[in-house]
Amino acid sequence: MKHSIIIAPLLAVLICTTSCRSLQPTQSAERDVFAMDTFMTMKAYGDGAAKALDSAEERIHELEAELSVTSQNSDIARINRANGAEVEVSHDTALLVGAGASYWRDTDGALDISVYPVLTEWGFTTGEYHVPDAAAIARLLERVSGEDISVDGSTVQIPADSKIDLGALAKGYTGDEIMAIFRDNGVKSAMISLGGNVQALGSKPDGSDWRVGIKDPFTTDENMCVVSISDKAVVTSGNYERCFTADDGRNYWHIIDPSDGYPADNGLVSVTIIGGEGLRCDALSTALFVMGTEKAQTYLNGHTEVDAVLVTDDARILYTDGLADKLEIMSDMPSEVIARD
Ligand code: ADP
Ligand code: MG
């Protein structure tokens, strides 16, 4: 009797707290950050969300300070002024320059972080666009030397007249770092967008997949398809970002083909890579854009760990077979599956 008097109210409290908790909406927090020349948005769910976003924002600014090619005190600026000498850099910088060097090998030179002097000559770094003459491009190409970038522990060395920039990789790596911070803070569900880079932690709080729109490169205010993902990054490189129309009436864009120094024009107008690692997706979205329609498909055949949606300049959508039940296409463009062995 004595016991039941104590236990009954206790049980009532217990039942109430459990059921009341399940009725409460999941806590969430949101943050907008402008960094790396990009508008970034983050949304995280769970008790640790607010603290996780504080740490993520701090980390974004830390990475920008290390990696920015334009800020005088960054590791990259120091490497670019070193005149061929060895430079001590942060763990992040060494990792990313090392990644640049290994993706150069892995993509047959399509990704080359030393293409920067060419990019600058076109005005893509300043917004003062112009079409350089062929002789100027040929001269600058001699300084593009992906094979001569060396990383040894925390020491980086590039040739005296070379310059590097991590524009093709930095946001992808930042996405991975933010996911790690979210996980460390107990966040189980989150979605971030760093410019064209979208990355999800887990699935939506209700357990369903996140749905990510991919822009139609021909009508960039519309999505051509939606891909369903959880725990993945979706990274797009397109010819419609940072581009200009020159006096010759032609369009030029900011992804440079290191083999000739001109904006890559090898049959693709947009490349989206979907995979577990943001850095890899970012590197490959740029590299496969440069490779073009044929080489990109060959590369994808040998790399089934990532999926891709390619759009050709004659308006066809090509997507890897791994996306068969994950992709909803709204566009009128004809689509084909890239079947892999
Ligand atoms: P975004 O910056 O629009 O997300 P990308 O990830 O494709 O697009 O990266 C493009 C950036 O990468 C350029 O702005 C430039 O800084 C750099 N870049 C351009 N061409 C190459 C290349 N062939 N290899 C490595 N980096 C490149
Ligand atoms: Mg990229």
Side-chain angles (χ1 to χ4, degrees), residues 111 167-169 197 235-237 281-287:
L111 188 104
L169 309 174
N197 292 39
V235 180
T236 300
S237 291
C281 294
D282 206 0
L284 294 183
S285 70
T286 310

Side-chain angles (χ1 to χ4, degrees), residues 38 69 109-116 119 124-125 165-172 194-197 235-238 241-242 253-258 264 281-283 285-287 289-290:
T38 298
V69 68
L111 188 104
D112 192 330
I113 59 172
S114 71
V115 83
Y116 186 66
L119 204 75
F124 289 114
T125 50
D165 106 282
L166 299 174
L169 309 174
K171 281 186 285 166
L194 316 178
N197 292 39
V235 180
T236 300
S237 291
E241 301 280 1
R242 259 193 289 160
W253 46 85
H254 71 140
I255 300 175
I256 302 289
D257 186 339
C281 294
D282 206 0
S285 70
T286 310
F289 189 101
V290 172

Side-chain angles (χ1 to χ4, degrees), residues 232-246:
K232 281 198 162 62
V234 180
V235 180
T236 300
S237 291
N239 72 345
Y240 49 86
E241 301 280 1
R242 259 193 289 160
C243 58
F244 71 99
T245 307

Side-chain angles (χ1 to χ4, degrees), residues 105-272:
R105 289 189 291 275
D106 184 51
T107 64
D108 207 11
L111 188 104
D112 192 330
I113 59 172
S114 71
V115 83
Y116 186 66
V118 181
L119 204 75
T120 308
E121 181 67 24
W122 280 91
F124 289 114
T125 50
T126 55
E128 287 162 26
Y129 303 124
H130 86 117
V131 181
D133 62 50
I137 292 182
R139 258 194 326 273
L140 290 169
L141 275 180
E142 288 171 17
R143 300 167 54 183
V144 176
S145 55
E147 72 273 35
D148 295 325
I149 295 166
S150 77
V151 181
D152 182 8
S154 58
T155 306
V156 171
Q157 190 173 26
I158 65 171
D161 53 357
S162 291
K163 287 192 181 350
I164 56 170
D165 106 282
L166 299 174
L169 309 174
K171 281 186 285 166
Y173 177 66
T174 304
D176 293 332
E177 289 297 291
I178 295 172
M179 295 298 123
I181 289 170
F182 285 174
R183 264 185 233 109
D184 289 348
N185 282 278
V187 171
K188 301 252 172 355
S189 171
M191 166 61 80
I192 64 170
S193 169
L194 316 178
N197 292 39
V198 171
Q199 197 158 349
L201 180 69
S203 25
K204 283 198 212 166
D206 69 6
S208 62
D209 280 349
W210 299 97
R211 290 167 54 76
V212 179
I214 302 175
K215 275 186 190 172
D216 182 333
F218 298 105
T219 326
T220 52
D221 54 355
E222 280 173 28
N223 286 334
M224 61 175 180
C225 59
V226 174
V227 60
S228 298
I229 54 151
S230 67
D231 260 328
K232 281 198 162 62
V234 180
V235 180
T236 300
S237 291
N239 72 345
Y240 49 86
E241 301 280 1
R242 259 193 289 160
C243 58
F244 71 99
T245 307
D247 294 342
D248 61 9
R250 296 186 55 184
N251 285 336
Y252 297 95
W253 46 85
H254 71 140
I255 300 175
I256 302 289
D257 186 339
S259 70
D260 62 10
Y262 284 81
D265 194 7
N266 300 317
L268 295 176
V269 290
S270 153
V271 172
T272 301

